[in-house]
Amino acid sequence: MKKLINAVDDVLAQSLDGFAAAHADIVTLGEERKFVRRRQVKPGKVALISGGGSGHEPLHAGFVGFGMLDAACPGQVFTSPTPDQMMAAAEAVDGGAGTLYIVKNYEGDVMNFAMAAEMASGPVESLILDDDVAVENSTWTTGRRGVAGTLIVEKIVGAAAERGDDLASLKALGARVNSHTRSMGVALTSCTVPAAGKPTFSLGEDEMEMGVGIHGEPGRRRVKLASADAIAEEMLGAIVGDLSLTSATEVLLFVNGFGGTPLMELYLMQDRARKWLDGKGIKVARSLTGSYVTSLDMAGCSLTLSVLDEQAKALWDAPVHTPALRWGM
């Protein structure tokens, strides 16, 4: 294992300290590093809080700031944060209008956020995200996994929260966006968790894992390495079929890198995905390309489609200022 670390036990703490220092104009680190929160809390605003195991950076802390999350709770690598982290974050960013927990569908995350919600003193709602079409059940889930579509939900709901929408409206909006969003990933290599010191799984030089999860969970099947066109066709075929998309539908196309794939290849996938969608008469109205929901150093990518109406387009376009996403400011 070759990584830029000092000691395995210090990786998360030192990374969070560096993150908070690098983006001190936007975020601040909570006591005992339990959470990252936006520097300026907005009175009267519903607080949006997410979190999960580390190793997916910039998800979630990188999306804390104006127009997205109010706080994010980082667990150890691929390990859920604890309820006390979530409760501390909710108290720190309480604007007096309630709290919405945005939770990826992994058993540890769901359980711990539910416990935090039960112990909350004010109004709290939870939104469970499950955009992965690859498998119905997985290593750490009952039901579909929450993956790259999380970013889209956090951006759209974040913009609505920033303009003053109430708690019930935000939960309903998030549920609608989640139901209109689907993802699928492919791994060319495994990731290596620092504490393990070796790859999570092994792939041959001529193999890929189709439908891989963001923790290295098994996908649909292991197959021989294929062309970018063939990979895009399989992933988009599954997504379009699941969403029952028809021609003339407008979508957001999100090409997400898993951490070990260069932007050159991600932009190539953006091109091939667009060509495939064009052939189906599906219009790419908005797009995003980059490594935003990663799996440490895994090589590979995911494709996400989110169906857009006029409201979703306006909220996606709304100003955002976070460490990882910035536009319109």
Side-chain angles (χ1 to χ4, degrees):
M1 179 179 73
K2 293 182 179 179
K3 291 186 179 291
L4 297 173
I5 63 175
N6 293 308
V8 168
D9 292 343
D10 297 331
V11 171
L12 179 56
Q14 293 177 355
S15 178
L16 285 171
D17 288 348
F19 173 82
H23 303 291
D25 58 322
I26 304 174
V27 301
T28 187
L29 198 54
E31 184 181 355
E32 298 178 1
R33 304 185 185 91
K34 288 183 177 180
F35 56 86
V36 174
R37 69 166 176 86
R38 62 192 289 180
R39 183 163 287 281
Q40 302 296 329
V41 175
K42 187 175 180 179
K45 175 186 175 298
V46 173
L48 304 185
I49 299 175
S50 193
S54 298
H56 305 302
E57 289 75 16
L59 187 82
H60 294 273
F63 306 139
V64 171
F66 181 91
M68 288 191 78
L69 299 175
D70 293 280
C73 303
Q76 292 295 323
V77 174
F78 295 173
T79 303
S80 175
T82 56
D84 67 297
Q85 290 179 254
M86 301 153 191
M87 294 173 65
E91 182 178 347
V93 297
D94 180 18
T99 299
L100 179 63
Y101 288 143
I102 300 176
V103 187
K104 303 187 304 301
N105 187 34
Y106 297 96
E107 290 174 355
D109 290 358
V110 171
M111 178 180 69
N112 288 347
F113 272 103
M115 290 175 62
E118 289 174 4
M119 293 184 284
S121 57
V124 176
E125 294 287 351
S126 294
L127 176 63
I128 310 299
L129 307 183
D130 57 356
D131 55 298
D132 192 352
V133 302
V135 294
E136 291 299 325
N137 295 287
S138 187
T139 308
W140 293 310
T141 65
T142 300
R144 292 180 171 184
R145 305 176 289 217
V147 289
T150 303
L151 179 155
I152 297 171
V153 174
E154 290 178 353
K155 172 63 183 79
I156 290 176
V157 175
E162 206 68 58
R163 73 182 181 187
D165 287 19
D166 64 26
L167 181 57
S169 298
L170 292 171
K171 181 177 180 179
L173 173 64
R176 186 163 68 252
V177 175
N178 178 65
S179 71
H180 291 165
T181 302
R182 294 289 182 267
S183 305
M184 187 169 172
V186 61
L188 307 183
T189 69
S190 176
C191 56
T192 299
V193 176
K198 60 183 180 180
T200 302
F201 60 92
S202 60
L203 280 173
E205 286 296 316
D206 62 344
E207 291 182 322
M208 60 183 185
E209 184 76 18
M210 184 61 71
V212 71
I214 58 173
H215 307 92
E217 308 98 314
R220 289 188 169 187
R221 66 188 192 283
R222 187 162 298 184
V223 296
K224 294 296 183 182
L225 184 64
S227 67
D229 281 339
I231 292 170
E233 179 177 4
E234 176 161 351
M235 292 198 291
L236 289 173
I239 292 168
V240 167
D242 198 83
L243 287 170
S244 300
L245 298 186
T246 57
S247 62
T249 303
E250 290 192 327
V251 298
L252 186 159
L253 168 61
F254 175 24
V255 178
N256 173 65
F258 284 148
T261 297
L263 269 172
M264 175 183 286
E265 295 174 31
L266 297 181
Y267 282 122
L268 185 153
M269 289 299 293
Q270 174 76 224
D271 175 69
R272 305 327 295 170
R274 281 173 175 263
K275 294 290 196 300
W276 190 90
L277 292 167
D278 285 346
K280 301 295 182 183
I282 297 168
K283 180 182 177 182
V284 178
R286 300 290 187 275
S287 65
L288 181 68
T289 302
S291 295
Y292 293 101
V293 183
T294 63
S295 183
L296 293 168
D297 53 349
M298 182 188 287
C301 74
S302 61
L303 300 180
T304 300
L305 295 182
S306 186
V307 179
L308 297 175
D309 56 19
E310 292 305 312
Q311 181 192 41
K313 283 190 285 188
L315 291 169
W316 178 261
D317 293 341
V320 60
H321 189 73
T322 71
L325 282 185
R326 303 183 192 187
W327 60 71
M329 298 290 286

